Amino acid sequence: VQSNSTSATADTVTADLSDRLARIVGDKHLITGGVRLRPHLEELRGRYTSACRAVALPADAGEVAAVVQTCAAAGVSIVAQGGNTGAMGGAVARAEQVIVNLARMNRVLEVDPVNYTMRVEAGCILANVQAAAADAGRLFPLSLGAQGSCQIGGNLATNAGGINVLRYGNTRDLVLGVQAVLADGRIWDGMNSLRKNNTGYDLKNLLIGSEGTLGIITAATLKLFPAPKRRVVAVAGVASPDAALDLLGRLRDASSDRLSTFELMANIAVQSAVRHIAGQTDPLAGEHDWYALIVADGTVDGDGDAGAGLRRDMEAGLARALDDGVLRDAVIAESESQARKLILLRENIVEAQNFEGGSIKHDVSVPVAQVPEFIRRVHAAILDAMPAARAYPYGHMGDGNIHFNISQPPGMDKEKFLAQWRPMNRIVHEIAHQLGGSFSAEHGIGLTKLEEMARYKSAVELDLYRQIKRALDPHNLLNPGKVLPAASASR
Ligand code: MLT
Ligand code: ZN
């Protein structure tokens, strides 16, 4: 566990600042200790300890602005936090910092089915955003494992990905406007609902993915889509990532490009979920080296037949792939509950990996066509470095994002294995880099990937980032130490 303290003398927030913050948000909504503090300090992977002792929960953008102004006047920096489900330590705070958590700002402000948009406050839980859209017969397509607890503001701040990126894009692609509190406490209202607005620099997209380092997003206007009338969910067993790539192309064609999800899972991951997660069964009769979870959804139907056309197209595509030897076996869900179970298989493999001991994690993307080559090369290189290591790759093959995780050799000391985190990361990231890929496809940078930022980003790019940071946050008050590596760490 790394401590996120910069100096041994790091102070705590003064009583005077606490009093001022409590006057803004109300005593009840300033947490300075006790059991309510803990969820704000714990971090998903247990890699950092958050020493923060002041969590402010403002009720609206005005209170966020007042909190920022008050902290700025005291020279105290702020870590914006949503559902605290991020994987890179981006919401970890030091003892002398204040966490601003957006949980109370959880109103869906408007759903406009005609304009295909909705306006939400930043603290809305993602699942509630999805449900509000569905109630209006619309789809908000962002979908990821943490959707029951992550907040939409955090999704924007980290430009979250998930399982529907193949069809609908990343969070960035799903946003039309934002409202944000800036480092000096001003509120920028960019909540437009326009699909065309070609007027100057794209400030919204600077804030999205900036992990709270350039501003605190307080509300957003989101894009909606027609609610699918039918979804076809299948799991296929294939012999190799090459076969999976072939299958992906065939099913995009067969479905007239109506695939929203194409996830790849190694056999070890599927069997781990089957073994360790209650109620999880192997959907296919025999084991396969690789599995693909495939979802197609349709809004318009070729023959106006309540979705039967899409199912027919998918069945035909899968049958042809079987005949041509591209897949070994496949199952299509017969009911919505079966469909949910197949999707859960993919979601459960993340938790299932915890049962396999220590895990060194990756979140890499390469061009989709390079996924098989990437997997081959990483697999060989990892076994070369640690012959008993167990490759546990899975991920969003449809968009080229593979979580090539590594589970410890059985019987090995967990800490000894985890001590190999950096060299293993280096192996995987170097191969991704050589293939034109990225060291962080969807989880962002936070604290975890600072070294990679310094290594893989060009001096020009880092210089531009720093200039932008200085322009928007000249006193380094917003989530300092995240995203941007220290200048001395750059190549
Ligand atoms: C997933 O795709 O399930 C997650 O991004 C994996 C993770 O949280 O490590
Ligand atoms: Zn993922």
Side-chain angles (χ1 to χ4, degrees):
V1 172
Q2 302 171 25
S3 170
N4 182 35
S5 308
T6 46
S7 77
T9 57
D11 210 346
T12 53
V13 168
T14 62
D16 178 53
L17 179 58
S18 281
D19 285 349
R20 286 166 194 265
L21 295 176
R23 278 202 290 278
I24 296 166
V25 297
D27 283 343
K28 217 169 83 193
H29 305 299
L30 182 74
I31 309 172
T32 53
V35 288
R36 288 173 67 215
L37 188 61
R38 184 168 302 169
H40 300 287
L41 307 184
E42 283 171 355
E43 162 267 329
L44 185 73
R45 293 190 173 156
R47 297 192 74 207
Y48 309 97
T49 49
S50 208
C52 176
R53 288 291 173 274
V55 178
L57 293 119
D60 54 35
E63 287 191 7
V64 176
V67 167
V68 170
Q69 282 162 12
T70 304
C71 288
V76 168
S77 61
I78 296 162
V79 177
Q81 189 182 74
N84 198 18
T85 61
M88 298 290 108
V92 167
R94 300 190 299 261
E96 75 279 17
Q97 295 182 307
V98 170
I99 288 177
V100 174
N101 187 288
L102 287 288
R104 287 176 69 215
M105 296 169 56
N106 59 1
R107 288 177 305 158
V108 173
L109 302 169
E110 178 194 40
V111 182
D112 183 343
V114 178
N115 201 42
Y116 281 80
T117 52
M118 68 193 292
R119 294 189 300 119
V120 295
E121 289 186 323
C124 285
I125 301 290
L126 174 56
N128 296 341
V129 174
Q130 296 165 341
D135 286 346
R138 297 291 177 256
L139 172 74
F140 182 63
L142 183 66
S143 178
L144 42 91
Q147 62 199 23
S149 48
C150 64
Q151 295 172 12
I152 191 69
N155 298 141
L156 265 72
T158 57
N159 185 29
I163 65 170
N164 285 337
V165 172
L166 166 62
R167 172 97 161 259
Y168 298 102
N170 294 291
T171 300
R172 189 184 292 290
D173 302 302
L174 304 173
V175 181
L176 293 173
V178 301
Q179 179 195 64
V181 171
L182 307 176
D184 59 7
R186 283 181 299 168
I187 298 173
W188 172 54
D189 185 357
M191 287 286 283
N192 78 74
S193 301
L194 304 171
R195 282 182 163 71
K196 286 185 142 177
N197 179 20
N198 221 355
T199 52
Y201 299 142
D202 193 345
L203 297 179
K204 158 195 85 193
N205 269 321
L206 261 186
L207 291 164
I208 296 171
S210 71
E211 303 186 29
T213 62
L214 300 180
I216 301 175
I217 295 170
T218 46
T221 309
L222 307 174
K223 269 188 211 170
L224 299 178
F225 296 80
K229 295 205 171 21
R230 169 85 172 224
R231 68 175 179 172
V232 178
V233 178
V235 165
V238 295
S240 64
D242 297 275
L245 182 64
D246 191 352
L247 184 64
L248 168 63
R250 285 163 171 261
L251 293 180
R252 286 190 77 162
D253 281 351
S255 68
S256 306
D257 215 9
R258 284 179 286 177
L259 292 194
S260 52
T261 298
F262 191 98
E263 300 281 311
L264 183 69
M265 302 171 276
N267 187 36
I268 182 178
V270 170
Q271 299 314 324
S272 182
V274 169
R275 229 181 2 262
H276 297 298
I277 307 293
Q280 190 68 68
T281 50
D282 190 333
L284 302 179
E287 285 187 29
H288 298 271
D289 286 346
W290 297 88
Y291 293 75
L293 167 76
I294 305 140
V295 182
D297 53 42
T299 46
V300 262
D301 209 341
D303 51 11
D305 193 10
L310 178 60
R311 169 139 186 155
R312 235 185 354 257
D313 292 345
M314 287 293 286
E315 277 174 353
L318 287 165
R320 270 197 303 277
L322 188 65
D323 286 348
D324 295 347
V326 172
L327 66 86
R328 299 285 169 84
D329 193 9
V331 62
I332 298 184
E334 293 297 339
S335 63
E336 191 48 33
S337 74
Q338 213 187 338
R340 274 200 294 275
K341 199 167 166 195
L342 293 183
I343 293 171
L344 263 183
L345 171 65
R346 160 63 183 87
E347 287 180 0
N348 281 335
I349 67 181
V350 183
E351 191 192 332
Q353 200 190 3
N354 295 334
F355 292 87
E356 307 292 342
S359 162
I360 296 175
K361 298 190 187 290
H362 298 97
D363 170 36
V364 155
S365 64
V366 293
V368 178
Q370 300 287 350
V371 167
E373 174 69 7
F374 169 74
I375 289 176
R376 243 188 318 273
R377 284 172 62 177
V378 170
H379 209 156
I382 280 168
L383 293 186
D384 207 32
M386 191 190 288
R390 292 173 298 157
Y392 194 103
Y394 63 89
H396 319 288
M397 183 165 188
D399 59 49
N401 174 194
I402 299 297
H403 300 297
F404 202 121
N405 291 355
I406 308 166
S407 279
Q408 67 169 78
M412 184 175 180
D413 176 67
K414 184 175 174 181
E415 292 311 314
K416 205 169 151 209
F417 172 73
L418 291 178
Q420 296 306 306
W421 191 293
R422 279 181 71 204
M424 286 298 193
N425 276 188
R426 176 63 64 84
I427 290 172
V428 175
H429 294 156
E430 280 295 300
I431 294 171
H433 184 67
Q434 286 157 16
L435 293 171
S438 165
F439 57 84
S440 188
E442 62 172 3
H443 293 165
I445 306 301
L447 287 169
T448 307
K449 298 268 175 76
L450 292 173
E451 196 178 317
E452 286 79 4
M453 283 292 272
R455 183 174 177 83
Y456 295 110
K457 292 281 179 178
S458 71
V460 171
E461 202 168 2
L462 286 172
D463 183 47
L464 290 173
Y465 288 169
R466 291 197 179 101
Q467 290 189 45
I468 291 167
K469 173 72 174 170
R470 271 198 297 277
L472 271 71
D473 181 18
H475 304 296
N476 204 20
L477 290 170
L478 298 179
N479 215 4
K482 315 287 171 55
V483 181
L484 292 176
S488 55
S490 306
R491 319 179 269 178

